[in-house]
């Protein structure tokens, strides 16, 4: 579904990603871990189509086609979703209205009719239950006055309504207490299926107790220095990132 | 030309002629007109050498002789507010046929000033001009000297008027540059309540509208006031709104400046007695070469008064906005609570804003805050919306609409709110979509 080949990315002339190779198949959950400043959020931003990032070498293929040709909204309509590390407050625009516009833009792209207000409302109520989002937050302006946990849950709620094929969660666990973390993880797990893929970016192993990944990759200084399965994440929790300095780079990473 | 007062010859000559023709007005008013005429003649047209006019040049106006507008007919079918009490003035003169001021509720007087001023002991003749500083406002002086007619709204103590009162001022050009000076006096008695819409429109042609509005609120009066200016681009609009509030009165006033090529609005507000509250909000929506200038001058003269000002501007093209927000707190005005905010959204690289707060505080136990911002749309917010599937034009329209919504949503008259929404929709690439969001 998604292939990164020797991906190099710079911001303002500084190289952040220095040759990433990664292949994600349908239905797979890949965790990307790594210390602060390793390039995790840059990877998320590049996949979502943030324009200030310059791809200096390599390629990104989505369903075999060059993803970098597409602007952010077209990527969204093609089924890519980014759950923001810092969800943005949009004063004045109601959460429900925004979501309906987004969903109908995606449906139009697929050649489907817009969802009418009643069908949409049912869908929204259904999905809000999934992440136990207070219905009051549906009518409020997007993220405005939401607590940190509510903002993260709102991101997963958006994801549940928009039903992407590739979801990228950028440090969705940061700042969440254990109860909120479980709710978010439950929401994600409910959406897992054989066709939908996830890239779960996190600093901490804790999240991966609840969203169990198929693959774990460790990103360090712009490179994937180790890939493995869930055991790798547990080893990182025990030993931190330091031991990777001297350990050999895993084959294929 | 900018070094000294610009020649005001064509105006001065007209004023002398107008005053000479006036008959049947009480002595107080005749004296006031003569005093105003002298003040205007002495001041001349302001130039950019004067601090209050530093960013607003009247050079083109000074170089264009204007004559007083002649009576004319107008068409107002799509301008009315359903269910309102209405007076319509065309080129500063009452149009009885277009007005709808019969069956007024008890306690409301709504009538043309021309007749009311002839009654020496009436509320109009005894109070008109009292809130206007002729020395500081040369165009208000010109209005005072020369106004032919206007609206009197008088609320008896305790009168509650539910339906909005719509004052519609239409400027109709005749091919040559003309000026008119409509006048409004609102006197709200103790404990009364009403909603007043001042509405300025035009039918094209180079024109200059010089309105003066006085709002007098007695103790406990509540006045909702909307000032909607949507004259054509060929018009210049230079207005003064002067309010004076007694104890525990409440003025909620919003100024909506959409039209005219050049617009200048001076708002003088005096909180004269304890417990008075003034909310003075505004929205300017300008594009192309439009120039808007708002000068607020709020004076706290008594303790325990509050004044809240929120002015928002959306600028496109090569338009320019000037905002000067002065708040004066007198030594006696302890426990003043004054908040001022001016926020500007630039949609183009060519638009320009001069925003200047000016606090003069002479009391020591007060809370006064001000803030001023000028900026583009938040790119992070645009990206957030795009990353969920909205295209850039829709995302930007939505955010721009949301920026204005704080002011627009609070407009107390539905028909006015809808007019502003239509302006917004017309100016945004995906305005119709954005409108649905609110």
């Amino acid at each position: 579904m998604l292939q990164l080949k020797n991906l190099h990315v710079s911001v303002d002339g500084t190289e952040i990603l220095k040759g990433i190779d990664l292949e994600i198949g349908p239905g797979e959950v890949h965790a990307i871990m790594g210390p602060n400043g390793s390039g995790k959020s840059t990877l998320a931003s590049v996949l979502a189509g943030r324009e200030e990032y310059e791809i200096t070498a390599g390629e990104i293929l989505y369903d075999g086609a060059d993803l970098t040709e597409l602007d952010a909204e077209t990527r969204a309509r093609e089924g890519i979703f980014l759950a923001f590390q810092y969800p943005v407050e949009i004063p004045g625009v109601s959460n429900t209205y925004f979501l309906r516009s987004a969903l109908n833009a995606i449906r139009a792209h697929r050649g489907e009719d817009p969802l009418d207000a009643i069908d949409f409302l049912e869908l929204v109520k259904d999905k809000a239950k999934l992440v136990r989002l207070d219905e009051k937050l549906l009518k409020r302006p997007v993220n405005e006055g939401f607590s940190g946990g509510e903002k993260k849950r709102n991101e997963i709620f958006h994801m549940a309504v928009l039903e992407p094929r590739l979801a990228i969660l950028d440090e969705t666990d940061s700042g969440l207490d254990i109860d909120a973390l479980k709710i978010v993880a439950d929401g994600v797990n409910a959406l897992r299926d054989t066709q939908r893929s996830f890239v779960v970016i996190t600093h901490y192993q804790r999240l991966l107790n609840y969203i169990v990944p198929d693959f774990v990759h460790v990103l360090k200084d712009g490179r994937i220095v180790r890939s493995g399965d869930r055991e790798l994440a547990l080893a990182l929790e025990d030993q931190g990132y330091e031991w990777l300095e001297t350990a050999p780079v895993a084959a294929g990473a | 030309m900018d070094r000294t007062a610009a020649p005001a010859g064509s105006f001065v000559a007209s004023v002398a002629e107008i005053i000479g023709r006036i008959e049947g007005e009480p002595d107080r008013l005749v004296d006031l007109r003569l005093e105003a005429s002298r003040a205007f003649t002495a001041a001349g047209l302001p130039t950019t050498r004067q601090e209050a006019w530093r960013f607003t040049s009247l050079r083109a106006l000074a170089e264009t002789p204007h004559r007083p507008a002649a009576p004319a007919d107008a068409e107002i079918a799509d301008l009315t507010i359903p269910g309102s009490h209405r007076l319509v003035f065309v080129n500063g003169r009452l149009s009885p046929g277009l007005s709808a001021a019969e069956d007024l509720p008890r306690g409301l007087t709504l009538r043309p000033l021309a007749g009311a001023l002839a009654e020496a002991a009436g509320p109009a003749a005894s109070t008109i001009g009292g809130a206007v500083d002729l020395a500081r406002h040369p165009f208000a002086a010109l209005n005072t000297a020369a106004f032919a007619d206007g609206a009197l709204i008088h609320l008896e103590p305790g009168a509650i008027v539910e339906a909005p009162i719509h004052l519609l001022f239409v400027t109709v050009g005749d091919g040559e540059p003309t000026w008119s000076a409509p006048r409004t006096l609102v006197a709200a008695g103790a404990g009364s309540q009403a909603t007043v819409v001042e509405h300025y429109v035009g039918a094209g042609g180079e024109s200059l509208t010089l309105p003066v509005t006085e709002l007098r609120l007695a103790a406990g009066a509540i006045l909702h006031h909307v000032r909607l200016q949507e004259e054509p681009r060929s018009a210049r609009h230079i207005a003064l709104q002067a309010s004076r509030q007694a104890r525990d009165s409440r003025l909620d006033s919003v100024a909506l400046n959409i039209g005219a090529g050049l617009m200048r609005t001076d708002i003088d507000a005096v909180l004269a007695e304890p417990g008075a509250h003034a909310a003075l909000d505004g929205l300017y929506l300008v594009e192309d070469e439009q120039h808007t200038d708002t000068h607020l001058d709020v004076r706290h003269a008594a303790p325990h008064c509050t004044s809240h000002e929120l002015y928002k501007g959306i600028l496109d093209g090569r338009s320019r906005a000037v905002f000067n927000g002065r708040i004066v707190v007198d030594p006696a005005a302890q426990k003043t609570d004054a908040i001022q905010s001016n926020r500007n959204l630039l949609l183009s690289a060519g638009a320009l804003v001069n925003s200047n707060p000016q606090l003069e505080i002479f009391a020591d136990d007060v809370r006064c805050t001000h803030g001023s911002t000028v900026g583009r749309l938040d790119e992070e917010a645009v990206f957030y919306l795009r990353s969920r599937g909205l295209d850039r034009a829709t995302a930007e329209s939505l955010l721009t609409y949301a920026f204005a919504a704080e002011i627009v949503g609070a407009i107390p008259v539905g028909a006015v709110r809808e007019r502003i929404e239509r302006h917004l929709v017309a100016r945004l690439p995906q305005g119709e979509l954005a409108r649905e969001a609110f």
Side-chain angles (χ1 to χ4, degrees):
Chain A
M1 171 182 275
L2 184 76
Q3 289 170 288
L4 311 188
K5 293 182 178 172
N6 188 33
L7 183 68
H8 289 252
V9 174
S10 293
V11 183
D12 296 333
T14 304
E15 189 167 62
I16 309 283
L17 298 183
K18 301 169 180 172
I20 304 271
D21 289 282
L22 187 63
E23 184 152 355
I24 295 173
E28 295 175 358
V29 175
H30 289 244
I32 310 262
M33 302 186 69
N36 289 326
S38 58
K40 301 189 301 289
S41 282
T42 297
L43 181 58
S45 295
V46 167
L47 293 177
R50 218 186 258 279
E51 281 152 9
E52 58 268 36
Y53 293 84
E54 190 195 351
I55 294 172
T56 52
E59 57 184 348
I60 307 173
L61 300 177
Y62 181 62
D63 288 341
D66 182 3
L67 184 69
T68 62
E69 293 287 307
L70 307 181
D71 56 24
E73 52 267 43
T74 309
R75 293 182 198 198
R77 294 167 188 182
E78 289 281 340
I80 293 179
F81 179 92
L82 171 65
F84 278 50
Q85 182 178 2
Y86 304 108
V88 183
E89 296 190 11
I90 311 286
V93 180
S94 93
N95 206 11
T96 309
Y97 177 83
F98 166 45
L99 208 46
R100 190 172 157 207
S101 306
L103 180 62
N104 283 336
I106 291 167
R107 291 175 66 93
H109 184 74
R110 293 192 201 131
E112 297 167 5
D113 288 335
L115 220 53
D116 71 36
I118 292 166
D119 289 345
F120 179 73
L121 210 62
E122 273 178 26
L123 174 72
V124 153
K125 289 198 167 179
D126 202 33
K127 301 293 187 181
K129 280 197 197 98
L130 193 68
V131 288
R132 287 178 246 172
L133 192 75
D134 189 339
E135 282 198 19
K136 275 186 291 205
L137 301 185
L138 300 175
K139 291 183 189 127
R140 290 244 298 269
V142 183
N143 292 322
E144 198 180 44
F146 288 25
S147 70
E150 286 170 341
K151 284 181 183 174
K152 295 298 177 83
R153 262 189 279 169
N154 195 44
E155 292 292 278
I156 302 305
F157 165 63
H158 283 193
M159 179 174 82
V161 172
L162 300 179
E163 299 189 318
R165 292 177 53 223
L166 173 66
I168 303 146
L169 313 184
D170 187 6
E171 304 213 13
T172 297
D173 53 333
S174 65
L176 293 187
D177 64 26
I178 193 68
D179 294 333
L181 186 78
K182 281 182 188 166
I183 291 170
V184 162
D186 287 349
V188 171
N189 288 330
L191 291 168
R192 283 178 81 157
D193 72 26
T194 55
Q195 294 306 308
R196 183 171 295 127
S197 310
F198 290 85
V199 176
V200 180
I201 291 171
T202 181
H203 189 74
Y204 306 102
Q205 198 284 137
R206 193 182 60 156
L207 176 67
L208 305 182
N209 291 334
Y210 302 97
I211 303 174
V212 178
D214 300 307
F215 301 93
V216 174
H217 311 276
V218 179
L219 195 61
K220 211 163 176 226
D221 192 27
R223 293 184 182 88
I224 290 179
V225 295
R226 187 67 64 102
S227 292
D229 59 14
R230 197 180 163 215
E231 297 302 316
L232 176 56
L234 295 170
L236 287 169
E237 184 177 44
D238 284 349
Q239 302 170 46
Y241 291 104
E242 299 310 315
W243 64 280
L244 289 167
E245 296 278 2
T246 51
V249 170
Chain B
M1 179 176 289
D2 274 354
R3 282 187 188 284
T4 55
S10 71
F11 296 104
V12 171
S14 302
V15 168
E17 195 185 317
I18 290 166
I19 292 181
R21 278 204 312 261
I22 287 171
E23 282 174 15
E25 287 189 346
D27 291 347
R28 179 188 172 273
L29 185 55
V30 174
D31 289 346
L32 179 66
R33 286 189 187 272
L34 291 170
E35 182 197 342
S37 170
R38 284 192 296 273
F40 175 70
T41 306
L45 298 186
T47 75
T48 53
R49 295 274 155 177
Q50 287 159 259
E51 185 58 32
W53 291 84
R54 207 172 130 207
F55 298 111
T56 298
S57 171
L58 298 179
R59 184 186 291 242
L61 171 68
E63 287 169 354
T64 312
H66 283 63
R67 57 177 179 71
D73 291 325
E75 178 60 50
I76 62 157
D78 56 348
L79 295 168
T80 58
I81 295 173
S84 66
H85 310 295
R86 179 174 71 241
L87 286 185
V88 181
F89 299 85
V90 181
N91 289 349
R93 288 170 185 83
L94 180 75
S95 175
L98 299 176
S99 300
E102 300 86 32
D103 302 325
L104 297 176
R106 236 178 39 189
L108 168 64
T109 302
L110 172 63
R111 60 184 289 203
L113 267 173
L117 286 168
E119 298 158 15
S126 57
T127 59
I128 197 156
V132 176
D133 185 343
L134 297 174
R136 271 177 54 235
H137 301 295
F139 290 101
L142 178 55
N143 174 298
T144 302
F147 73 86
D149 204 351
L152 169 67
I153 297 171
H154 183 258
L155 296 159
E156 296 289 337
I160 309 290
V161 179
E162 304 266 354
I165 301 165
H166 187 197
L167 306 178
L168 181 59
F169 299 96
V170 188
T171 299
V172 178
D174 63 2
E176 284 181 61
T178 57
W179 64 276
S180 61
R183 186 87 178 196
T184 298
L185 175 61
V186 179
S192 64
Q193 183 175 336
T195 301
V196 174
V197 178
E198 265 184 79
H199 188 181
Y200 297 90
V201 298
E206 189 170 354
S207 64
L208 171 65
T209 311
L210 302 169
V212 171
T213 299
E214 289 179 82
L215 309 173
R216 307 183 71 94
L217 281 71
I222 297 175
L223 182 63
H224 299 286
H225 174 252
V226 181
R227 181 171 214 296
L228 171 58
Q229 187 276 109
E230 41 181 3
E231 294 206 60
R233 298 291 167 85
S234 54
R236 296 183 180 91
H237 185 98
I238 303 177
L240 171 68
Q241 170 182 318
S243 59
R244 198 175 170 84
Q245 294 181 242
R247 181 180 290 270
D248 300 330
S249 62
R250 177 185 180 98
L251 171 63
D252 287 320
S253 180
V254 60
L256 307 162
N257 275 302
I258 314 291
L262 179 144
M263 63 204 92
R264 160 78 178 228
T265 314
D266 278 84
I267 294 182
D268 285 5
V270 179
L271 299 149
E273 293 179 9
H277 171 74
L280 304 166
D281 298 334
L283 174 72
Y284 40 88
L285 185 61
V286 286
E287 61 181 358
D288 301 331
E289 305 282 333
Q290 283 182 290
H291 181 109
T292 180
D293 180 343
T294 302
H295 267 62
L296 282 175
D297 197 303
V298 178
R299 185 163 156 223
H300 283 260
H304 295 287
C305 292
T306 51
S307 64
H308 294 173
E309 295 134 38
L310 173 62
Y311 265 75
K312 286 192 163 185
I314 299 173
L315 294 91
D316 205 347
R318 296 177 42 78
S319 62
R320 184 160 189 189
V322 181
F323 178 86
N324 196 91
R326 182 168 181 246
I327 300 173
V328 181
V329 180
D330 286 356
Q334 300 294 3
K335 304 288 182 191
T336 285
D337 181 343
I339 302 172
Q340 181 184 96
S341 173
N342 175 225
R343 297 180 57 201
N344 295 279
L345 177 58
L346 306 181
L347 299 181
S348 66
L352 186 65
V353 175
N354 295 100
S355 182
N356 181 36
Q358 204 183 333
L359 303 186
E360 296 169 28
I361 301 168
F362 303 103
D364 52 18
D365 184 13
V366 302
R367 187 178 80 123
C368 292
T369 62
H370 66 84
S372 164
T373 59
V374 180
R376 303 296 201 91
L377 286 174
D378 177 5
E379 269 303 314
E380 184 65 11
V382 174
F383 178 68
Y384 186 72
L385 300 184
R386 290 176 66 207
S387 81
R388 302 281 140 100
L390 302 190
D391 60 61
R392 180 176 274 279
T394 303
E396 291 182 349
S397 296
L398 205 53
L399 292 170
T400 306
Y401 207 102
F403 177 83
E406 191 178 358
I407 300 289
V408 177
I411 296 171
V413 181
V416 176
R417 208 160 49 233
E418 282 162 24
R419 290 191 78 83
I420 298 295
E421 286 169 355
R422 281 203 292 277
H423 285 293
L424 274 167
V425 166
R427 292 204 187 178
L428 297 174
Q430 287 291 352
E432 199 56 60
L433 267 175
R435 183 188 189 173
E436 289 171 15
F438 296 88

